[in-house]
Amino acid sequence: SLAHVDAFRQRYGDRPALRLLQADALRETGQADAAIALYRELSTGPQAAAAAHGLGLIAAHRDDDAGSEQSLARATQLEPLNTDYLGDLGYARLRAGQFDQAREPLAKALELSPGNAKATANLALWAVLRGDTATAERLAQQANLNEDSRRGIQQQAEQIRARLQQRQAAAAAREVAAPRAVAGPPARSQAAARLAA
C-alpha cells in the first residue's frame, strides 16, 4: 500500500487524498508517530474529518481515552452522518466507562444504517454493559447475529469491564500512595526556635 502511494505521488503529485491514504497505511502498519504527523497536516482541509478519525483510533490504541474521545467527537462533528465515525466514538466511550454518553452515537449509527451488523453489535454491547440483557438479545435477534457474533459481544463486555476495574484499582493505589497534605506551616524544631529568638 505504501509503495503504491509513492508510485502514485511520483506520477500525479502530492494530493491531500493521497496523504490521507498514506497516513492510514502508516497507522495500520504500526508507524503511529509518522501517521500522526500526516493526520495533523490534514486537520484543516477537506480530509479533516478522516484525519480526526485516524488520530482518534491511534489514541484509542494507546489507551488515551481523553484523546480518543476528543478526536472522534471532532470527526463526528465534521461528518455527523458517518456511521463508522459514530460507531467508533460510541465504542471509545464504552471503553472509557462512559455508558450514558455512548448511547447517542451508537443509536444514531444504527438508525442511519439499520442493517449494519457492526452498528447492531455495538449497541448490543452497550446494552450488555448496562446489564440490559433483554435489549441486547432483541438487537441480536433483529440483526440475525450468529453465535460467534454473540460470543464476541460477551467477550468484549468482559474485556471492557476488566479494563475499567484495572483502571479503578490503579487510581485507588495512586490515591493511597499519594503523600498527605499537611495543614498549616511545618512546626519548627526547638533548636530552630531558640536560634530565631
Side-chain angles (χ1 to χ4, degrees), residues 34-57:
I36 287 169
L38 275 175
Y39 284 137
R40 286 183 177 155
E41 286 176 18
L42 298 166
S43 63
T44 56
Q47 313 298 329
H53 181 244
L55 288 169
L57 294 179

Side-chain angles (χ1 to χ4, degrees), residues 62-187:
R62 292 179 167 180
D63 281 336
D64 176 4
D65 290 340
S68 180
E69 154 82 21
Q70 183 179 8
S71 294
L72 292 171
R74 175 167 162 71
T76 61
Q77 286 165 0
L78 292 169
E79 286 189 20
L81 302 181
N82 188 307
T83 55
D84 287 336
Y85 298 173
L86 288 164
D88 287 343
L89 173 60
Y91 188 80
R93 287 176 175 172
L94 290 179
R95 289 184 77 237
Q98 300 173 0
F99 300 155
D100 291 340
Q101 298 91 325
R103 185 188 180 281
E104 183 187 352
L106 293 176
K108 198 178 288 184
L110 186 57
E111 182 184 338
L112 290 167
S113 185
N116 188 307
K118 181 182 176 185
T120 304
N122 280 340
L123 196 57
L125 173 62
W126 168 82
V128 169
L129 286 167
R130 287 179 52 86
D132 186 354
T133 53
T135 297
E137 181 59 28
R138 179 176 52 78
L139 287 164
Q141 286 179 356
Q142 284 175 355
N144 290 321
L145 295 181
N146 61 31
E147 283 305 312
D148 285 345
S149 297
R150 293 174 189 226
R151 267 197 303 273
I153 290 167
Q154 293 296 333
Q155 288 169 354
Q156 286 183 56
E158 289 167 14
Q159 288 168 1
I160 288 172
R161 287 188 186 115
R163 179 179 189 265
L164 293 172
Q165 286 172 355
Q166 287 171 356
R167 294 209 156 192
Q168 287 171 351
R174 281 195 301 272
E175 196 173 304
V176 169
R180 302 265 184 241
V182 178

Side-chain angles (χ1 to χ4, degrees), residues 9-48:
R9 179 178 287 117
Q10 288 173 4
R11 189 167 183 180
Y12 298 105
D14 192 19
R15 300 177 184 181
L18 188 62
R19 275 184 278 151
L20 178 62
L21 281 175
Q22 183 180 13
D24 288 342
L26 288 166
R27 173 176 55 79
E28 289 169 10
T29 54
Q31 301 173 68
D33 292 336
I36 287 169
L38 275 175
Y39 284 137
R40 286 183 177 155
E41 286 176 18
L42 298 166
S43 63
T44 56
Q47 313 298 329

